[in-house]
Amino acid sequence: MDFQNRVGSRTGGGGVAGWSETNRDRRERLRKLALETIDLARDPYFMKNHLGTYECKLCLTLHNTEGSYLAHTQGKKHQYNLGRRLAKEASETPSQILPERPKADVKKFVKIGRPGYKVTKQRDPENGQHSLFFQIDYPEIAEGICPRHRFMSAYEQRIEPPDRSWQYLLFAAEPYETISFKIPSREVDKGEGKFWTEWNKDTKQFFMQFHFKR
């Protein structure tokens, strides 16, 4: 916009824009912005009346051109009313009740004591490698339960003061109490034939053997 000849401006300068020119320029920028972001065909508040002018059904305002309406949609009044309408609709919309998640059945067992067991220390006559053989008896093990085991470091347990020279081997199967064995804290050899477990469902006995690395 050229305001070169306006009073108070220097020759060759841009001039000082008045309030009406500034407001007109602002509305034109808002109109161009609205053209890029608003689809009048989908605007629920845009309506063309029988007089050929345009109405904003949200703010109850009249506009001579589509451009004027688009500039209006970017103004404070329209944005304020739009925010109030959205807040009202949100408060009137009943909150969706999520379906209750099915609860998984947690099996509870009454502990019946410790299982019987037998531990055998062995040594490979060929290479001198040490091994341990465990036999755990579970004659009254719960139906569908398979015995489990895991190694535990001395720093995980809370029964004895931790000693890095030892680790623990735990066996568990409901409804029996979990039992543990204190074994040397040496690396276990999990190579072929060096580590194996077996659960005999007929005799209800769990077998495990592993070798320590040399």
Side-chain angles (χ1 to χ4, degrees):
M1 186 176 295
D2 184 11
F3 298 104
Q4 180 176 346
N5 298 319
R6 179 173 298 279
V7 176
S9 64
R10 294 178 299 174
T11 303
V16 180
W19 179 86
S20 60
E21 289 84 356
T22 301
N23 188 51
R24 186 163 54 249
D25 183 58
R26 181 185 65 83
R27 294 180 63 85
E28 178 62 20
R29 284 188 283 108
L30 292 176
R31 185 188 69 82
K32 291 180 179 179
L33 176 63
L35 282 172
E36 298 175 358
T37 57
I38 296 178
D39 183 2
L40 290 178
R42 298 183 179 181
D43 188 342
Y45 306 117
F46 176 74
M47 184 185 71
K48 184 175 182 179
N49 58 28
H50 66 285
L51 298 176
T53 56
Y54 305 94
E55 297 182 17
C56 174
K57 295 189 290 183
L58 177 64
C59 305
L60 304 179
T61 54
L62 293 175
H63 305 275
N64 294 326
T65 63
E66 291 183 358
S68 175
Y69 172 81
L70 289 171
H72 162 75
T73 61
Q74 303 301 302
K76 293 182 180 180
K77 181 177 181 179
H78 187 85
Q79 293 297 322
Y80 174 76
N81 289 336
L82 186 61
R84 290 186 58 186
R85 174 60 63 88
L86 293 176
K88 181 180 180 181
E89 291 177 354
S91 63
E92 294 176 350
T93 302
S95 58
Q96 183 178 3
I97 301 177
L98 298 177
E100 185 178 358
R101 293 183 179 180
K103 297 181 179 180
D105 294 333
V106 179
K107 295 183 179 180
K108 296 182 179 180
F109 299 94
V110 177
K111 298 297 182 181
I112 61 174
R114 298 179 180 180
Y117 59 85
K118 181 180 179 181
V119 183
T120 305
K121 296 181 180 180
Q122 299 175 333
R123 182 176 182 179
D124 192 320
E126 296 183 0
N127 56 23
Q129 197 171 12
H130 292 88
S131 66
L132 291 174
F133 178 81
F134 293 86
Q135 174 186 318
I136 316 296
D137 300 326
Y138 293 109
E140 298 182 37
I141 190 171
E143 184 178 355
I145 298 297
C146 181
R148 307 177 304 279
H149 75 275
R150 85 176 186 95
F151 292 90
M152 175 187 290
S153 73
Y155 297 95
E156 290 182 78
Q157 56 87 30
R158 296 291 182 268
I159 305 300
E160 301 178 346
D163 185 345
R164 60 185 303 178
S165 300
W166 301 95
Q167 59 181 330
Y168 298 83
L169 176 58
L170 282 64
F171 293 93
E174 290 78 9
Y176 291 90
E177 295 179 6
T178 300
I179 58 175
S180 65
F181 298 90
K182 189 175 182 179
I183 61 177
S185 184
R186 297 169 55 188
E187 187 176 359
V188 175
D189 188 349
K190 295 187 177 181
E192 185 177 356
K194 301 295 184 179
F195 186 106
W196 60 270
T197 62
E198 180 184 348
W199 167 236
N200 190 319
K201 295 182 179 180
D202 297 326
T203 63
K204 305 294 181 63
Q205 292 176 312
F206 183 76
F207 302 97
M208 176 179 181
Q209 183 182 25
F210 63 86
H211 293 70
F212 291 107
K213 285 189 175 182
R214 292 181 296 171

